[in-house]
Amino acid sequence: MLRTQHHSTDTHDVSVQTAIATACLIWYIIVWCVCAIGFIQLFRYYWNTPPPATCLTALKEEDVPHLTIIRPVKGLEPRLYECLAATFRQTYPKSKLTICFCISERSDPALPILERLVRDFAGFDARIYVEEEDRMLKENGNALGPNPKIRNMSRAYREARGDLLWILDCNVWVGKGVCGRMVDLLCGYGKDKKYKFVHQTPLSVDMDGQNISREDRELLLGKKDTHELPDDIAASTSSDPRNYSRGRFRKLLQRGGGRLDEAFMSSAHAKFYNAINTVLVAPCVMGKSTMFRRSQLNYVTSSNPDRNPGLDFFSDNICEDHLIGDALWKKPQPFEKREYQPAAGERVEKWGKHAMLFGDFCFQPISHTSVAATIDRRLRWLRVRKFTVTLATFVEPGTESILCNLYGAYAMTTLPYFTNLGILPTWPSFILVWLLSMSAWCLVDWIQYMLLHSARTIELDSDTPDFVLPQRSVYGKTYSSSREPLLGKSHRKPGLLDGRRRTFRQFWLAWAARECSALPIWIVAFWGGVGVEWRGRRFWVGLDMRVHEIPRDRGRKE
C-alpha cells in the first residue's frame, strides 16, 4: 500500500513537472518567434534607403496637405540645435509647414536656441509658444491637469493650422525625407489604406564615447556654427575636463546610463517594437514621433466637460503618447460605425488603426546620462505601464533574455523528448543549454546593433549630424572617416560592419549590464510603489491612470 501511494505521488510530481516544462517550452518558442519577426522586419526595412514620398513626387504643391509640427522643449538636451533644425530641413514644402516650439517659461535655457532657429530659417512659419503666457491658463489655472508636457503643447495644439499634426520630441533627429513618408502613410498616398495614427522606431545614440575632435566638428558643422552654439557640455569634446571624474567606477556611474540606453534601444526594444507593430495585436507606441489628425483625436476625446478635446483631455495622465494611440485604436470614428450613413456619392473607405513607418528611425543623442537617471526613467515607464497595459507589463520579465532562456533550458532538460535527443536532465546540461541560448540571443542583438547604427536608411548630406553617421571602418579596428559622406570624399553605401559604433567587448558589457538589471528594475517598479519623477517634478500614479503631483516639500519629507 505504501509503495502504491509513493508511486502515485511520484507519478503526480512527474506530471506536474512535465506540465510546467511544457508551458516553459511553449513560452520560450513564442518569445523566440517574436524576436525572429522583429529581426527579419528590421533587415527587410532598414537595409536600404526608403524611396521619396509619393505626396511630394505625384502631387502638386497646392495639393499637399498642410502639416503642423509640434516640438515640446525642456532645457538643453544634447545636440538640441541639430535635432530641432532637422524640422526645417525636411523635403516637405515649406509653405505647407507650421513649426511650433513649446517651452514652459521664458527662463528656460533653450529659449535662445529656439530664437536662433527662427532667425536662421526665416522663410518658415515658425512660432515659439510659452506656457506661462497661455491666456487660457491665466484665466483658469485648472483648465489643464498636471502633465507638464501636455501643458507645454496645449496652446500650439489649439492654434494649429490644418488637420494633420506631427508631435516630435525636441531630443530626436529625423532624416530629411521622413515628414513626407509619414504623411504618405497616414493619408494613404501610394497605398490602398489610410491610417488614423502613425509613428516611428526610436533609436538612442550615446555620444560620450565618440572620438570626434573639435577640428572635425568644425568641418562637420562649420566654424561659425560651432562657436555660436551655447557651450553645452553635452556637445563638448572628450578633452573637456568637465567630462572626467577622478575614479573610473564613479565615472562609469556618472556617464554609463547612456550606454545602457543605447544597448536596450538597439537590441531588445527594437526587436519587440517592430515585431508587435507588425502583427498589430494591440497598440504599441513609444511616442518620440507620432502623427495623427486633430479632428479624429478631438472626436474620441470629447467626453470630459472639464477638459478641451484633444491633447488637453490627457493632461491628467502621464503616458499621453500611449493613451492617444490607444484612444484612436479603440474608439471608432463616425465613418467606422455600423449605423453610419454615407452621403450621396461618398465612398466609405476601410481605415487602418495604427501603422509604423518602417525604414526610418528617429535618433536620440544621449550624453552625460548617469546610471541612476537611466534606472529612474525605466522605473517611470514601468510604473506607468503597469496601469495602462497591466498584463503585458506583468509578463515582461519572461520576454527578457535571462529568464526566457532559463525557461527554455528547464524545458529541454526536463521533457523526455529532449532526453531522447541526447540532452540529459542534469545541472551541467541545464547550464550549457542556457549559455548556448544566451550566446545565440547576444549574437542576434550584436548583428542587429550593427544594422541599426550603419545609417543605411539615412539620406546622407552635409546636414547629417555626426552622431547618426557610422563610426567604424569595415574592419572594425580604426575610427573611420565618417565625414566622408559629408565632405564628398566618398559616396560608398555603408555596410553592416560600418555600424560597429562599439567594439564587441564594449557592446557586450553594456548589453550584459542591461540584461542583468532588467529583472531587479521590474521588481522595484511593479511592486515597489507608484511614485515617478518626470521633467523635474514628482508624481504618483493612481489605479485610474491619472497622475497627481506631489508638492516639493512633501516629496522631501518622504
Side-chain angles (χ1 to χ4, degrees):
M1 183 67 180
L2 290 175
R3 291 181 180 178
T4 304
Q5 289 179 346
H6 182 68
H7 177 74
S8 176
T9 302
D10 288 346
T11 303
H12 178 264
D13 290 343
V14 170
S15 299
V16 171
Q17 193 176 39
T18 301
I20 294 174
T22 302
C24 288
L25 181 63
I26 293 172
W27 180 260
Y28 176 77
I29 293 173
I30 290 174
V31 172
W32 268 97
C33 286
V34 172
C35 290
I37 292 172
F39 185 76
I40 292 170
Q41 289 294 80
L42 286 169
F43 266 90
R44 281 185 64 194
Y45 292 104
Y46 296 91
W47 184 249
N48 294 305
T49 305
T54 302
C55 66
L56 304 182
T57 57
L59 299 181
K60 297 179 180 179
E61 184 172 324
E62 57 267 25
D63 297 327
V64 175
H66 194 92
L67 175 68
T68 296
I69 305 176
I70 300 177
R71 304 209 67 168
V73 181
K74 175 70 173 178
L76 289 175
E77 295 281 355
R79 303 295 179 88
L80 182 63
Y81 183 93
E82 293 161 278
C83 290
L84 296 179
T87 321
F88 298 96
R89 292 170 175 149
Q90 296 296 305
T91 53
Y92 210 76
K94 65 168 65 175
S95 63
K96 295 292 184 176
L97 286 178
T98 297
I99 300 170
C100 305
F101 297 124
C102 307
I103 58 173
S104 59
E105 53 194 7
R106 289 201 170 271
S107 60
D108 193 302
L111 181 59
I113 294 181
L114 304 185
E115 293 173 337
R116 179 188 166 188
L117 284 160
V118 174
R119 292 195 307 269
D120 290 351
F121 299 92
F124 285 81
D125 178 13
R127 311 169 184 184
I128 299 175
Y129 290 93
V130 184
E131 177 192 327
E132 63 183 5
E133 298 173 3
D134 189 343
R135 181 177 299 178
M136 183 187 76
L137 291 177
K138 286 183 177 181
E139 294 175 354
N140 180 11
N142 296 319
L144 293 172
N147 184 314
K149 189 174 179 181
I150 295 294
R151 296 177 69 92
N152 202 351
M153 298 187 292
S154 174
R155 185 181 169 196
Y157 179 89
R158 300 193 312 267
E159 299 180 7
R161 289 182 59 192
D163 195 30
L164 303 190
L165 290 176
W166 186 15
I167 297 180
L168 191 62
D169 282 4
C170 69
N171 57 0
V172 297
W173 180 91
V174 292
K176 62 183 180 181
V178 170
C179 181
R181 288 189 282 271
M182 291 274 282
V183 171
D184 270 1
L185 190 58
L186 186 74
C187 299
Y189 296 122
K191 309 286 183 181
D192 57 356
K193 183 186 290 187
K194 298 178 181 179
Y195 288 91
K196 295 187 289 184
F197 184 91
V198 300
H199 56 108
Q200 288 182 267
T201 300
L203 186 64
S204 298
V205 180
D206 178 34
M207 299 189 302
D208 288 341
Q210 291 191 196
N211 302 316
I212 294 181
S213 68
R214 182 75 177 184
E215 292 74 19
D216 287 336
R217 183 169 170 77
E218 289 178 351
L219 285 172
L220 287 165
L221 302 178
K223 292 185 179 181
K224 181 178 179 181
D225 286 343
T226 55
H227 290 303
E228 287 186 1
L229 282 172
D231 188 17
D232 179 9
I233 189 171
S236 63
T237 64
S238 58
S239 60
D240 194 318
R242 294 173 295 173
N243 290 354
Y244 291 91
S245 183
R246 292 181 179 179
R248 185 174 181 180
F249 181 71
R250 186 177 177 185
K251 177 183 175 181
L252 181 66
L253 292 179
Q254 289 176 344
R255 299 174 58 187
R259 198 61 61 85
L260 295 178
D261 260 340
E262 181 185 275
F264 172 59
M265 300 300 289
S266 304
S267 56
H269 184 272
K271 279 202 307 284
F272 284 99
Y273 198 70
N274 278 264
I276 295 171
N277 281 288
T278 295
V279 297
L280 286 175
V281 294
C284 181
V285 180
M286 186 161 183
K288 289 291 182 182
S289 171
T290 57
M291 188 180 290
F292 51 89
R293 294 169 181 81
R294 184 170 56 163
S295 59
Q296 293 184 349
L297 183 62
N298 287 349
Y299 178 79
V300 298
T301 55
S302 57
S303 60
N304 187 349
D306 297 326
R307 298 284 180 258
N308 291 322
L311 286 186
D312 294 3
F313 181 84
F314 302 101
S315 61
D316 294 295
N317 306 99
I318 202 171
C319 52
E320 72 289 331
D321 44 18
H322 169 79
L323 294 176
I324 289 171
D326 198 55
L328 291 171
W329 176 287
K330 294 179 179 178
K331 298 180 181 179
Q333 296 294 314
F335 54 81
E336 294 179 305
K337 297 180 179 179
R338 291 183 179 181
E339 62 271 19
Y340 178 70
Q341 296 294 328
E346 180 185 357
R347 185 170 65 93
V348 179
E349 300 175 298
K350 183 175 178 58
W351 286 54
K353 298 178 184 294
H354 283 198
M356 192 171 74
L357 182 64
F358 290 103
D360 283 300
F361 293 115
C362 56
F363 294 85
Q364 179 184 358
I366 299 176
S367 182
H368 287 75
T369 302
S370 67
V371 173
T374 297
I375 292 174
D376 285 343
R377 184 160 54 252
R378 288 288 298 152
L379 289 173
R380 184 178 74 240
W381 287 353
L382 287 167
R383 282 182 177 167
V384 171
R385 288 180 64 242
K386 73 179 180 181
F387 294 115
T388 56
V389 282
T390 305
L391 180 60
T393 308
F394 182 75
V395 302
E396 184 172 307
T399 65
E400 300 287 358
S401 63
I402 294 177
L403 197 54
C404 177
N405 289 319
L406 284 174
Y407 291 161
Y410 176 76
M412 292 184 207
T413 55
T414 301
L415 295 175
Y417 174 78
F418 293 98
T419 304
N420 297 333
L421 296 178
I423 302 177
L424 301 177
T426 61
W427 281 110
S429 295
F430 176 89
I431 294 171
L432 180 61
V433 171
W434 180 76
L435 287 175
L436 289 174
S437 293
M438 288 294 294
S439 299
W441 194 296
C442 182
L443 179 62
V444 168
D445 283 352
W446 170 236
I447 295 172
Q448 177 183 304
Y449 177 92
M450 290 190 289
L451 171 69
L452 271 54
H453 290 273
S454 65
R456 289 186 60 86
T457 64
I458 306 300
E459 299 152 307
L460 301 174
D461 61 16
S462 59
D463 295 317
T464 307
D466 55 310
F467 61 81
V468 173
L469 295 167
Q471 299 294 308
R472 296 280 172 180
S473 72
V474 292
Y475 300 104
K477 296 179 180 178
T478 60
Y479 184 82
S480 74
S481 180
S482 62
R483 281 80 63 193
E484 287 183 355
L486 296 176
L487 302 179
K489 296 178 182 177
S490 171
H491 297 284
R492 178 179 62 85
K493 184 77 172 177
L496 181 65
L497 294 181
D498 285 315
R500 292 190 65 193
R501 188 176 296 276
R502 316 288 170 210
T503 64
F504 178 75
R505 178 177 176 273
Q506 291 171 331
F507 166 80
W508 183 85
L509 289 173
W511 178 88
R514 210 296 303 181
E515 299 298 321
C516 291
S517 65
L519 183 59
I521 290 174
W522 179 89
I523 292 172
V524 173
F526 202 86
W527 303 107
V530 293
V532 296
E533 188 169 342
W534 191 34
R535 294 196 169 203
R537 296 159 68 180
R538 187 79 179 163
F539 304 90
W540 64 273
V541 187
L543 292 173
D544 57 357
M545 294 182 291
R546 295 167 69 93
V547 293
H548 309 270
E549 187 169 4
I550 301 174
R552 292 185 179 181
D553 292 340
R554 180 185 166 193
R556 289 194 190 99
K557 291 177 182 178
E558 293 179 351

